[in-house]
Amino acid sequence: AKNKMFRLFGREQPIHKVLGGGKPADVFMWRNKHISAGVLGGATAIWILFELLGYHLLAFLGHALIFSLGVLFLWSNASSFINKSPPKIPEVIIPEDLVVNIALSTRHEINRAFANLRQIALGRDIKKFLIVCLFCHCLPSVVPTSIWICLV
């Protein structure tokens, strides 16, 4: 007979294996303390930045992009002084057919939405009218209130 180990809550597998094994389980179980502390510190910094200080994600992304652009600009100009090669930045070219396909798809969807709105405005589809009323009026006013009540 197989020698059974005593495990809490009647588990048959070790927690490491239940968590998927590998590096994510090691981080979650604090087996690699440096990475686990980095993840916890990063999550705490993000929480402080967005929740306590009231910083917004869009502003953060904009500032991060401006900062990285400034670093690349300074690196490119100072590369001759610090005896390092300038950064290799790949040239990005968006194909014209991709943009045209996206524009055509977007135009088609907008025209379809206008046709549906026209049918609703002419009073021909009461079901769509009620759905639009629900999603455009009721949900934006009810959902944030209920979420706020759940958080308090």
Side-chain angles (χ1 to χ4, degrees), residues 107-121:
R107 181 186 62 88
H108 176 71
E109 292 300 323
I110 290 172
N111 285 338
R112 206 171 89 196
F114 281 149
N116 281 334
L117 289 174
R118 183 174 183 273
Q119 293 297 318
I120 292 168

Side-chain angles (χ1 to χ4, degrees), residues 117 130-141:
L117 289 174
L130 293 175
I131 290 172
V132 168
C133 286
L134 177 71
F135 281 108
C136 292
H137 179 66
C138 296
L139 284 181
S141 62

